[in-house]
Amino acid sequence: MTEPPTPAHSPKRSTVRSLLRIWPYARPIRWYLAGSTASAMVASLAGLLIPLVLKQIVDGPVSKHDSSGLWWPAALLLVLGLAEALFFGLRRWMLARPLSGVERTMRADLYARLQRLPVTFHDRWASGQLLSRATSDMFTIRLFLAFPLVFLIVNSMVFLVGIAIMFALDWQLAVIAVLPAAPLIMLCSYFERRYSAAARLAQDQNGDLATIVEESVLGIRILKAFGRHRTMAQRFRAQARELRGTELNKARLLANLWAVIVGLPELALGTALAVGVVQVAHDTTTAGTLVAFLSTALALRWPVESLGWLLAYSNEAATATDRFFEVLDAPLADADDVVTATGPDSRPDSDIRDGIRFEGVRFRYPDAPADTPDLLQGVDLHIRHGETMALVGTTGSGKTSMTALLPRLYDPSAGRITLDGADITALSRGRLRELVSVAFEEPTLFSASVRENVLMGAPDADDAALQRALDVAQAQFVRALPQGVDTQVGEQGLSLSGGQRQRLALARAVVGAPDFLVLDDPLSALDVHTEALVEQALRRVLAGTTALVVAHRPSTVLLADRVAMLVDGRIAAVGTHHELLETSPAYRELMSGERVPA
Amino acid sequence: MNDTGTVLAGPRPTARHSNDPEAAVEAETLDEATLVEEQEQLSGADQPLTEPEPPAAVAEGEDIPVPPGAPRALLRSLMGPHRKRIVLAVLMIVFQQAALQVGPLLVSVAIDRGIPALRGHDAGPLIAVTAGYLGCAAVATLLQRWFIRLSGLINQDILLDMRRRIFRHAQLLSLDFHERYTSGRIISRATSDVDAVRELLNEGLQELLSVALQIVYISGLLLVLDWRLGLVSVASAVPVFLLQRSYRLRSKNIYRRSRTAVATVIVRFTETMNGIRPVQAFRREEANDASFGVPNAEYAKSNADSMISMARFVCSARVTANVWIIGVVLWGAYLVAGRELELGVLAAFVLYLRRLFDPIDQLAMFVNGYQSAAAALEKIAGLLAHEPSVPEPVEAVPLPETPEHARPGATTGGREILFDRVGFSYRTGKQVLPEFSLRIPAGQSVAVVGATGAGKSTLAKLLARFYDPTGGRVLLDGVDLRELATAELRKGVVMVTQESFLFSGTVADNIAVGRPGAGREEVEAAARAIGAHGFISELPEGYDTDVRKRGGRISAGQRQLVAFARALLADPAVLILDEATSSLDVPGERAVQEAMRTVLAGRTAVIIAHRLSTVEIADRVLVMEQGRIVEDGTPTDLIAGTGRFSRLHEAWRDSLV
């Protein structure tokens, strides 16, 4: 799951270029962003001015021991204090909803895109990798817009204004106080860089650890059956120790970083204090100025310290953006489709009742090693209109892959497939998949009610159709579920047995009375008795449709009118079950398991 | 800083559980298909069925109960071994904060003493103050550095310990727990929940300590400097504390909502990505966009709420703080003007007061981190507090040595199995297996047939000690399974399920799970024996092909062959095969059966199959119906008879060629 994605990474762009790509999403909230930045600026400046007013108080009324002169500066102080608080609040409040909206839109776009990317894309990418893009990366981007973006601007301004104030107060002290700023920023960004490298390593190791946890839980039956949890625990411990080492390294870097952040400014302040006192003693400056100066210098510590992590965070956000666009830039499944017929009339000409034709179809998985032969090496097969064709072949011969070509989950590398005379690449994918209905070998149910899961196959079908489909699949057990067809199943609902899931998947495939039906070993998880009942019902459905049925056993083969045998990537023989039994020793062996003497 | 921290702790992928029927063993009882004699009876399948129970998956939220005090006890036991180092770390931060807070005090001394002295041409006080200031800065810096290193060490050791405990415990918990709790949740306990605790340990606790100490020190200093002003300043803690509390309560609810929303987002997302084939084949894209939009919007809303709630807190706390500061300063100025207070003291007050209220934002972030860590710790504690229902024996008994076992290099001989008045019910009290007794002599191969839900799998799981019987005992060569240590038990009994899960690593690694340390020849021999050698050697890198990498596309049937080879390599005395050939084609199944004839010789075997072909290699057949063994005999006898098996067999033979 945590396997790093294999797809070629686009060359690393600059942080700024990457971040600029967020703009289309940030554009609708640009005024909020500007407002938030302005608010933060006002608040920060107010905070910066407070020490100046304090200076006025100390130098003026206080040193003159005149309490009546306090009121004006006091009122000013109150205004500044309130402004600081309210504008900082306003800044956050203003962005809250718009920013969540941006994150939401980006996530929705990512999800929508992923759904429409070709299956080959999903083959290459572990779902965990995709998930982290939809969750933590989105979060990083939202946070970037909320803090680093705003504060990079605001803190730079505050820093400049603060320095200006300090220079205005006492340029000599200001030079001393500002001196450490340059090395501070440099050291901070040096440590941040090394720290983020260590952090990335820790993240990867964390992912590996998660993989071990995942496997130990998913394979718990095997581990228990063989009493192997100790071996697994050892692997886990080794991995966890490695992670601990990296984390300790992170802590060491952090310790150094903080030592710099705390140490350098204090050093400068101590020096400034000594020099300032000397100046006051020589009456070149006032005590009030010294106080104002020191508190301004203190107020500037945060903008300086923050620059390091603001930059590091921007870097992280840039990576998150790149990861986001890796998905959004991937070509859609129908990117290079040439749909000649679109709209409602895209149905293959119903007058030509030609059934399904595979013509010279070759296929290999895009990620197959280069030196392996094609999986399908020129398949020619004609399934006549209304006919049910069984597809047999040894394990791994490419039967399932062949069924995946019909709804265009994969495209053949050569050759063509036609439905009632129309090339399937000339149909829109939506239309094609409306025509072709599939029951997969692996019956997947989604977190939804039984009704929704079954009616996926035909959104417009009514309750009667639902009942018929459930009856065909012998899925009467549904009625005994707590809420009948409205019971939630899938990851977030009741978990069903393999046989039950398989029957629902079968019901899903047949519910819309599709023109073309593909069943991939649809009865493998059923016991003999249920299998017989499903077969009986299925026969009626198959009578009204053109079907391709992958079969492992004679009982399933008997559902079909004819049988096609896939050998070495080609159709080696086509005929009825009995014909093939008589003429093909290979078929006999496949069906009976008895090795026929050559 | 905590904001950055949580990013790293972003939700991790929850894994989906494998699509094997085993995962839903309890729901299996829902299956209406009972092995009945007449068709008519079955066609009346709408008869009131067994009550659907127990719900196999518990909705997120209604987690397993956490015993009161468990989170705290867990924390104590995790921190216990590090007590000394923790004390040392706390002392460091105590001194570090002390050194850091002395600064403004020295400023006040410099102004009040240093300036007059300097005017009198005495640089002594100024030099002393400056040296003191720089010294304190140096001490604070060094202590900060050491503290981070030491606390890093403590945190990592605690986390390592916690991770290992979760892992070990999850492995010890029985299968029925795993089936109920779902894999995704166990995984998130060991990953994202640990991360939440880590964030708190790494950032939060240090921050909280610093903030608390800062407040204490500054308050103390202020009181010493001038008790009147000091008292008024310290009193500001009351409104800030009240604000903080109301924020904490508000954010707790928001946090919960947000966790639920993000969990739904994750489930929907993973489900779609893992089921991308049916999603595309059934044109679910648009409907999914809509249904994904609901939790996505809910998550966005709770995020916004949490930001707004934080804005409210930060704003109101700042207003309070600023007004308070102004009040204190004004009063101080009034006092100085009236010559009741020294100027330097007021200067120190001004500097300290700003510092006193600096940590308000940190406090808000800490509250957030604490909230999530507390929730996580509670969940972890709940998992760890769950007693394994299939515990290890306190005093393990070894299996008796039989002459065959003593013989060096001997393939393990079989062992006798005895179910002694065994019964099994679910926790809910629903009976699955009524009390029964059954003896399987050493070396016998027994086939168990019957419809889904007849209790075959439960029987096998009792024998493999995936469950313990609710009544009676299961004996292996006279020893109760509950008295055998896991290692000893697995030398005796191995179960191959139709589970097709492969661990990451090479094909050879996966086979070697059966016997770690087995050489390549042994692995190959096992694969050859079961007829898996052919397809494995055709893989791009043969036995060294990584099953998770390019080219490692291994079909369901092939995975079952790997599972078989794994079991052969384990070389157990008793072999249980539960639907182990369901995905094989006929020749594959036939090859396995051929191999089984030799493999099973001398072993005790229990074979469960939907398909009757398996029966041919068995010495004895048990027919099960609704938890009872209704027929028992040799295959030939039963086929010749007129019972259920005979009819079943006939129907099956008809379905063949």
Side-chain angles (χ1 to χ4, degrees):
Chain A
M1 287 280 280
T2 43
E3 196 66 37
T6 36
H9 283 288
S10 49
K12 181 98 185 95
R13 344 158 163 262
S14 80
T15 303
V16 178
R17 287 249 315 266
S18 298
L19 289 175
L20 276 179
R21 294 203 67 190
I22 309 178
W23 179 241
Y25 288 97
R27 209 182 116 85
I29 65 157
R30 62 190 183 280
W31 296 118
Y32 291 98
L33 281 171
S36 172
T37 309
S39 300
M41 196 95 81
V42 170
S44 302
L45 289 179
L48 218 50
L49 287 177
I50 289 176
L52 292 185
V53 179
L54 289 174
K55 162 188 146 49
Q56 284 301 322
I57 292 176
V58 173
D59 279 351
V62 174
S63 51
K64 287 180 201 134
H65 302 284
D66 165 24
S67 50
S68 62
L70 273 175
W71 296 114
W72 271 115
L76 191 58
L77 214 50
L78 186 66
V79 169
L80 289 176
L82 288 181
E84 185 197 33
L86 293 177
F87 276 99
F88 265 135
L90 183 65
R91 181 200 97 63
R92 286 169 180 270
W93 177 80
M94 196 158 45
L95 272 186
R97 300 217 178 273
L99 266 189
S100 309
V102 169
E103 185 189 357
R104 175 183 160 192
T105 314
M106 289 181 82
R107 187 179 294 117
D109 281 5
L110 182 77
Y111 179 80
R113 184 81 187 187
L114 279 171
Q115 285 201 84
R116 290 162 179 83
L117 286 174
V119 174
T120 49
F121 177 91
H122 289 272
D123 283 351
R124 275 180 296 144
W125 289 68
S127 68
Q129 284 289 343
L130 301 177
L131 182 65
S132 67
R133 278 164 175 73
T135 51
S136 43
D137 284 351
M138 293 295 99
F139 181 70
T140 305
I141 294 175
R142 163 160 65 93
L143 224 59
F144 166 74
L145 293 174
F147 291 95
L149 178 66
V150 170
F151 277 105
L152 272 176
I153 301 172
V154 172
N155 284 359
S156 313
M157 294 297 278
V158 169
F159 183 62
L160 292 178
V161 172
I163 286 181
I165 291 176
M166 291 204 298
F167 271 91
L169 285 169
D170 188 315
W171 71 267
Q172 284 161 317
L173 292 184
V175 169
I176 297 172
V178 168
L179 269 183
L184 191 61
I185 291 175
M186 269 161 52
L187 280 170
C188 279
S189 71
Y190 168 73
F191 280 122
E192 285 284 0
R193 255 203 317 278
R194 290 190 46 193
Y195 182 78
S196 67
R200 214 161 309 154
L201 181 64
Q203 257 178 304
D204 290 347
Q205 288 175 342
N206 226 325
D208 291 343
L209 202 62
T211 308
I212 298 184
V213 172
E214 248 174 58
E215 292 197 343
S216 75
V217 173
L218 294 178
I220 186 74
R221 285 170 199 80
I222 296 170
L223 293 175
K224 278 207 183 290
F226 289 92
R228 285 292 165 259
H229 48 257
R230 210 153 291 164
T231 323
M232 208 64 182
Q234 270 161 12
R235 267 181 66 194
F236 180 81
R237 201 159 56 206
Q239 193 71 50
R241 282 195 172 280
E242 220 169 283
L243 175 63
R244 174 178 173 274
T246 312
E247 289 284 351
L248 286 182
N249 185 33
K250 266 171 71 182
R252 270 194 294 279
L253 285 169
L254 206 62
N256 289 336
L257 178 67
W258 271 104
V260 171
I261 287 180
V262 174
L264 271 182
E266 286 289 335
L267 214 64
L269 277 183
T271 316
L273 175 64
V275 174
V277 166
V278 171
Q279 286 180 333
V280 175
H282 292 112
D283 286 324
T284 49
T285 193
T286 64
T289 307
L290 184 59
V291 171
F293 181 86
L294 290 176
S295 44
T296 307
L298 277 181
L300 285 191
R301 264 173 67 167
W302 152 248
V304 175
E305 282 172 14
S306 68
L307 274 182
W309 82 263
L310 287 179
L311 290 176
Y313 204 92
S314 306
N315 233 328
E316 210 168 303
T319 315
T321 314
D322 285 343
R323 284 159 56 89
F324 173 75
F325 280 105
E326 264 167 17
V327 171
L328 247 63
D329 293 342
L332 286 178
D334 53 7
D336 37 44
D337 279 6
V338 191
V339 180
T340 47
T342 46
D345 56 341
S346 67
R347 196 179 201 304
D349 196 339
S350 47
D351 295 339
I352 307 175
R353 296 182 164 264
D354 187 44
I356 306 169
R357 257 181 210 281
F358 286 79
E359 291 171 8
V361 169
R362 301 180 72 87
F363 175 71
R364 63 184 293 117
Y365 284 100
D367 57 352
D371 53 348
T372 52
D374 285 359
L375 189 55
L376 300 181
Q377 307 177 349
V379 169
D380 292 296
L381 180 63
H382 180 207
I383 306 167
R384 296 177 202 126
H385 177 81
E387 182 182 47
T388 299
M389 177 77 80
L391 184 62
V392 302
T394 53
T395 307
S397 59
K399 304 185 293 291
T400 297
S401 307
M402 201 168 138
T403 60
L405 297 178
L406 259 184
R408 289 194 70 193
L409 295 176
Y410 296 96
D411 280 334
S413 35
R416 62 180 215 136
I417 302 169
T418 60
L419 293 184
D420 280 351
D423 192 322
I424 57 170
T425 56
L427 294 166
S428 75
R429 274 164 209 263
R431 183 63 193 138
L432 171 69
R433 288 167 186 170
E434 220 170 286
L435 293 169
V436 180
S437 192
V438 192
F440 293 92
E441 191 178 12
E442 194 100 307
T444 310
L445 296 185
F446 296 94
S447 289
S449 65
V450 169
R451 178 200 305 275
E452 286 167 287
N453 263 296
V454 171
L455 289 187
M456 249 178 209
D460 318 322
D462 55 9
D463 266 12
L466 173 70
Q467 271 319 320
R468 272 198 304 277
L470 289 174
D471 286 345
V472 167
Q474 299 296 314
Q476 291 89 349
F477 68 88
V478 167
R479 286 181 216 159
L481 295 178
Q483 282 95 38
V485 291
D486 294 314
T487 308
Q488 294 288 314
V489 293
E491 185 89 342
Q492 283 194 318
L494 202 68
S495 68
L496 300 176
S497 76
Q500 291 172 328
R501 284 202 298 263
Q502 199 170 46
R503 277 176 275 169
L504 289 187
L506 184 62
R508 177 194 290 164
V510 302
V511 68
D515 294 9
F516 302 95
L517 188 58
V518 178
L519 305 176
D520 190 354
D521 204 10
L523 313 171
S524 65
L526 305 184
D527 62 273
V528 193
H529 214 104
T530 317
E531 186 179 344
L533 293 173
V534 175
E535 274 164 14
Q536 228 170 35
L538 203 52
R539 245 177 254 283
R540 289 195 297 274
V541 175
L542 290 173
T545 165
T546 310
L548 181 63
V549 181
V550 173
H552 275 140
R553 303 166 190 286
S555 52
T556 320
V557 168
L558 288 174
L559 286 171
D561 304 312
R562 288 194 300 159
V563 189
M565 186 164 60
L566 192 59
V567 177
D568 295 333
R570 286 198 184 80
I571 299 294
V574 182
T576 66
H577 178 58
H578 293 287
E579 281 168 17
L580 288 186
L581 273 183
E582 278 165 28
T583 58
S584 167
Y587 182 74
R588 255 199 316 276
E589 189 193 333
L590 204 57
M591 284 297 109
S592 66
E594 275 146 29
R595 194 160 285 280
V596 187
Chain B
M1 286 293 229
N2 228 332
D3 269 2
T4 17
T6 34
V7 177
L8 306 179
R12 301 205 171 270
T14 51
R16 298 166 42 72
H17 40 166
S18 51
N19 280 327
D20 73 290
E22 291 273 300
V25 65
E26 295 190 343
E28 228 178 58
T29 48
L30 302 184
D31 237 35
E32 86 294 342
T34 341
L35 195 66
V36 278
E37 289 155 63
E38 263 85 35
Q39 276 274 347
E40 304 91 76
Q41 251 175 288
L42 239 180
S43 58
D46 353 2
Q47 71 211 337
L49 299 170
T50 48
E51 195 191 342
E53 59 152 352
V58 197
E60 179 79 37
E62 45 175 299
D63 240 312
I64 47 169
V66 182
R72 195 159 299 169
L74 170 64
L75 208 56
R76 248 201 317 272
S77 79
L78 283 170
M79 286 169 46
H82 309 290
R83 205 171 299 129
K84 280 186 191 146
R85 287 197 288 177
I86 291 173
V87 170
L88 187 62
V90 170
L91 281 180
M92 276 187 190
I93 202 87
V94 164
F95 285 113
Q96 191 259 350
Q97 282 297 323
L100 208 57
Q101 300 309 336
V102 168
L105 190 66
L106 291 173
V107 170
S108 114
V109 175
I111 291 177
D112 288 343
R113 302 276 150 74
I115 296 175
L118 206 59
R119 281 181 177 143
H121 298 286
D122 173 12
L126 177 61
I127 293 172
V129 167
T130 310
Y133 193 98
L134 294 179
C136 282
V139 168
T141 305
L142 286 179
L143 282 175
Q144 170 92 11
R145 193 162 164 270
W146 289 337
F147 171 80
I148 294 180
R149 281 165 163 244
L150 180 62
S151 68
L153 204 61
I154 299 171
N155 291 347
Q156 288 308 315
D157 284 347
I158 288 179
L159 287 173
L160 185 68
D161 186 14
M162 184 157 79
R163 287 201 173 101
R164 276 168 53 188
R165 284 194 205 189
I166 297 172
F167 189 85
R168 252 196 338 242
H169 198 77
Q171 295 283 303
L172 282 183
L173 285 168
S174 59
L175 265 192
D176 70 314
F177 176 82
H178 279 272
E179 278 148 8
R180 216 168 57 243
Y181 201 66
T182 73
S183 53
R185 276 194 283 161
I186 295 181
I187 292 165
S188 67
R189 287 305 85 83
T191 55
S192 59
D193 286 341
V194 172
D195 285 341
V197 176
R198 181 192 64 190
E199 282 314 314
L200 186 73
L201 285 177
N202 275 0
E203 313 264 351
L205 281 187
Q206 184 204 341
E207 222 147 80
L208 183 71
L209 257 178
S210 312
V211 166
L213 282 169
Q214 199 171 333
I215 290 171
V216 169
Y217 280 132
I218 293 179
S219 308
L221 276 171
L222 291 179
L223 284 169
V224 170
L225 280 172
D226 186 274
W227 68 270
R228 294 161 299 181
L229 284 182
L231 209 59
V232 174
S233 309
V234 170
S236 68
V238 177
V240 173
F241 173 77
L242 290 177
L243 285 170
Q244 181 272 132
R245 204 181 59 167
S246 87
Y247 167 62
R248 189 159 44 92
L249 294 179
R250 244 194 342 260
S251 81
K252 191 173 181 178
N253 281 330
I254 297 174
Y255 177 78
R256 268 204 204 118
R257 258 175 41 213
S258 154
R259 294 313 294 172
T260 315
V262 77
T264 320
V265 165
I266 291 174
V267 166
R268 293 259 167 204
F269 190 91
T270 349
E271 230 172 26
T272 306
M273 296 316 144
N274 287 333
I276 192 70
R277 284 172 181 78
V279 163
Q280 295 196 347
F282 289 101
R283 311 176 306 287
R284 293 300 295 167
E285 293 93 340
E286 269 164 47
N288 277 350
D289 282 345
S291 68
F292 182 72
V294 177
N296 193 19
E298 178 52 37
Y299 183 44
K301 187 177 174 306
S302 59
N303 275 338
D305 288 349
S306 123
M307 284 163 85
I308 286 173
S309 145
M310 183 135 165
R312 268 169 63 184
F313 169 67
V314 169
C315 180
S316 54
R318 271 255 161 253
V319 165
T320 314
N322 280 346
V323 169
W324 214 279
I325 291 178
I326 291 162
V328 171
V329 168
L330 280 183
W331 191 31
Y334 180 78
L335 289 176
V336 172
R339 298 183 195 282
E340 288 177 56
L341 191 72
E342 281 187 78
L343 187 59
V345 173
L346 182 61
F349 255 90
V350 170
L351 292 180
Y352 275 128
L353 277 174
R354 288 288 285 183
R355 276 199 187 186
L356 183 61
F357 293 108
D358 254 0
I360 286 179
D361 291 26
Q362 289 170 12
L363 206 62
M365 287 173 179
F366 173 78
V367 167
N368 272 347
Y370 174 81
Q371 218 75 275
S372 81
L377 200 65
E378 190 167 59
K379 284 181 182 167
I380 293 173
L383 178 70
L384 289 182
H386 196 88
E387 293 286 334
S389 60
V390 181
E392 280 271 304
V394 186
E395 257 175 79
V397 176
L399 281 171
E401 291 269 331
T402 65
E404 289 152 86
H405 302 123
R407 196 152 41 87
T411 39
T412 331
R415 288 186 187 274
E416 183 205 62
I417 301 162
L418 182 62
F419 285 84
D420 181 17
R421 280 166 297 155
V422 166
F424 183 74
S425 312
Y426 286 135
R427 286 166 299 115
T428 48
K430 190 178 129 52
Q431 198 177 49
V432 185
L433 296 181
E435 190 182 298
F436 74 102
S437 291
L438 172 69
R439 200 181 82 87
I440 301 174
Q444 194 174 57
S445 298
V446 178
V448 184
V449 300
T452 325
K456 307 181 303 272
S457 281
T458 311
L459 184 85
K461 282 173 180 161
L462 287 175
L463 179 54
R465 203 172 173 229
F466 283 2
Y467 304 151
D468 276 338
T470 35
R473 325 176 280 165
V474 183
L475 303 173
L476 187 64
D477 267 1
V479 183
D480 193 325
L481 292 185
R482 280 174 289 211
E483 289 169 0
L484 288 170
T486 311
E488 187 79 358
L489 172 65
R490 295 309 167 206
K491 257 191 282 170
V493 185
V494 156
M495 176 156 163
V496 182
T497 64
Q498 68 179 160
E499 171 120 22
S500 46
F501 184 81
L502 291 182
F503 296 96
S504 60
T506 65
V507 176
D509 290 345
N510 267 288
I511 295 175
V513 167
R515 177 146 49 95
R520 175 56 58 90
E521 313 80 60
E522 291 168 289
V523 167
E524 276 189 36
R528 257 181 231 281
I530 212 68
H533 180 75
F535 92 84
I536 296 175
S537 43
E538 277 169 28
L539 290 171
E541 287 164 70
Y543 283 84
D544 295 317
T545 308
D546 192 316
V547 297
R548 295 286 157 88
K549 290 231 176 84
R550 294 150 68 91
R553 230 177 272 273
I554 293 176
S555 76
Q558 290 167 338
R559 277 185 284 184
Q560 285 193 339
L561 289 179
V562 170
F564 260 112
R566 185 187 284 152
L568 283 195
L569 194 61
D571 193 25
V574 177
L575 188 61
I576 308 166
L577 305 177
D578 186 3
E579 298 287 341
T581 57
S582 65
S583 295
L584 296 180
D585 52 20
V586 181
E589 194 175 351
R590 202 45 82 106
V592 167
Q593 276 166 19
E594 285 303 318
M596 280 292 135
R597 275 183 219 280
T598 42
V599 167
L600 293 185
R603 261 180 245 276
T604 314
V606 174
I607 305 159
I608 293 169
H610 280 153
R611 284 167 224 299
L612 298 190
S613 46
T614 321
V615 173
E616 293 171 15
I617 57 169
D619 306 322
R620 177 179 173 192
V621 176
L622 301 176
V623 181
M624 289 191 74
E625 189 182 307
Q626 291 172 339
R628 285 171 207 283
I629 298 168
V630 290
E631 285 178 32
D632 181 354
T634 65
T636 4
D637 286 352
L638 289 185
I639 292 168
T642 54
R644 298 168 173 85
F645 186 71
S646 152
R647 253 167 309 185
L648 205 62
H649 191 263
E650 204 171 321
W652 171 73
R653 230 188 11 238
D654 290 347
S655 83
L656 290 182
V657 179

